[in-house]
Amino acid sequence: MSHQEDPYYDPHWPCARDWLAGDYLAKATKSLAVLGVPTTRGSLPPCQCELAPQAVRNGLHHFSTYDLSAARDLRHLRAKDAGDLPIVALMPQEAFQPIRDAVAELLKDVNAAVLLGGDNSLTAAGVHGMSVPLDRCGLLSFDAHFAHFDLGDLDSGLNNRNSTRALLRDGLQGDHIYKIGLQRFANSDAYAKVARTAGIHIITSDQVMDLGITKAVHTALGHLHLHADRIYVSVDMDVLDRIHAPAANDSLPGGLFPGQMRRAAHLCGLHPKVRVMDLTELDPTRDVADITSMTAATCLLEFAAGVLSRPVHA
């Protein structure tokens, strides 16, 4: 719909969807790329996460570009919408190289990138796309259970339940992984032992409630900053409480609130070593009043606002 056809159009209320489509200010010096990565084949449980990239983009229509808290306009950040990768028909292992190469190419020209999934099998390829040795990478994941801690076996190839296991196999250090938001009664002792043996750091949803999301994220990023040259952030939307994320594949009662996840995304955007954030496991066909898609859109905006607020040299 053009502005002329939109009865609600207000020239004094710049729309976030227009910003992503290229309505940024000419003097913008920092940049952010957004790429749709519609991985979905072989996902467990079966889903239509390939529809999520466009749903999140559409969700931006509800938001302006003005950050009231910081008194800054996102149009000072150059946005590049790189469209969607043509990988819907591919199995995760087949999609791995196209995703890796696309991320690597994007990061040559921007301060940071946001990947709109898709299921979270894309995370393994996204981390590789940061183009540094895996033993110099950090991974900060937000998830309720990481589908077996994302540590399922690799016998059947890459899928949305074993991306962390694949990264460990490929050289990512367990000590360079933080997982925030894991829930009680949503994991197993067997996979918890794999995580502990690998040295993966865990902050449960209960601990987030006690610590506060700001301290939890600062703890994770502070550790990763010391050990990694580049940091990848993965957000499985099921980290949110089910009432706030009905479209997330495996969301459960007792998860994080949208305000907490927005704050976390902003803090990640602020950190100069964070190069990529993905938003995964969102099936728009299961959404209610677009609440999950809109929450994902706010995470994109908060991350972008953080990137905009980075020091000039970052």
Side-chain angles (χ1 to χ4, degrees):
M1 180 185 296
S2 68
H3 290 156
Q4 291 75 19
E5 298 170 322
D6 185 354
Y8 299 104
Y9 174 65
D10 180 349
H12 303 295
W13 197 90
C15 179
R17 188 171 63 181
D18 293 339
W19 162 74
L20 183 58
D23 181 24
Y24 53 84
L25 301 176
K27 59 183 178 179
T29 57
K30 296 176 187 172
S31 56
L32 176 80
V34 175
L35 175 67
V37 187
T39 51
T40 191
R41 288 203 61 195
S43 183
L44 294 172
C47 66
Q48 291 184 263
C49 293
E50 74 276 10
L51 303 176
Q54 193 55 48
V56 176
R57 290 185 181 97
N58 290 342
L60 293 173
H61 178 70
H62 298 276
F63 302 97
S64 81
T65 59
Y66 183 67
D67 180 351
L68 181 64
S69 295
R72 300 188 74 175
D73 194 315
L74 276 186
R75 290 178 300 166
H76 289 282
L77 179 70
R78 177 167 50 89
K80 175 184 179 181
D81 189 344
D84 292 355
L85 288 176
I87 58 172
V88 174
L90 302 183
M91 293 297 289
Q93 197 62 48
E94 299 170 316
F96 180 92
Q97 183 173 336
I99 298 169
R100 180 200 64 194
D101 294 349
V103 172
E105 189 63 27
L106 281 178
L107 292 180
K108 292 178 181 178
D109 300 319
V110 297
N111 295 93
V114 175
L115 309 182
L116 304 178
D119 66 33
N120 61 14
S121 65
L122 70 88
T123 299
V127 173
H128 277 270
M130 292 196 299
S131 302
V132 292
L134 285 190
D135 62 1
R136 296 304 305 163
C137 289
L139 172 62
L140 171 53
S141 295
F142 295 87
D143 202 319
H145 41 56
F146 293 88
H148 313 310
F149 282 89
D150 246 1
L151 294 169
D153 66 59
L154 298 166
D155 294 344
S156 58
L158 182 65
N159 58 52
N160 66 325
R161 291 181 172 236
N162 62 17
S163 57
T164 301
R165 189 75 165 261
L167 287 166
L168 288 170
R169 175 201 62 194
D170 294 344
L172 182 63
Q173 304 299 301
D175 183 52
H176 297 183
I177 301 173
Y178 255 89
K179 295 184 177 288
I180 295 178
L182 295 180
Q183 287 209 41
R184 301 167 71 172
F185 313 114
N187 296 282
S188 76
D189 181 54
Y191 290 112
K193 287 177 179 175
V194 173
R196 286 193 290 267
T197 299
I200 293 171
H201 303 272
I202 294 169
I203 301 177
T204 67
S205 60
D206 286 347
Q207 290 171 319
V208 171
M209 299 304 176
D210 293 337
L211 292 171
I213 191 65
T214 298
K215 185 171 183 180
V217 174
H218 278 316
T219 297
L221 289 177
H223 177 84
L224 296 177
H225 178 79
L226 295 176
H227 299 281
D229 297 328
R230 293 187 173 185
I231 299 171
Y232 186 103
V233 176
S234 180
V235 180
D236 185 326
M237 295 302 291
D238 74 17
V239 75
L240 294 162
D241 191 289
R242 190 168 184 83
I243 196 170
H244 299 297
N249 266 340
D250 288 312
S251 56
L252 298 167
L256 302 187
F257 300 126
Q260 292 174 307
M261 197 59 244
R262 289 178 63 169
R263 176 63 177 162
H266 186 86
L267 293 172
C268 291
L270 273 171
H271 198 285
K273 287 189 177 181
V274 172
R275 298 302 313 278
V276 184
M277 180 180 77
D278 70 32
L279 297 165
T280 68
E281 300 292 334
L282 193 168
D283 180 349
T285 65
R286 301 172 55 190
D287 217 351
V288 177
D290 300 325
I291 186 171
T292 320
S293 299
M294 289 172 64
T295 298
T298 64
C299 289
L300 189 164
L301 293 175
E302 292 284 2
F303 183 79
V307 173
L308 178 59
S309 297
R310 290 181 183 181
V312 174
H313 63 274

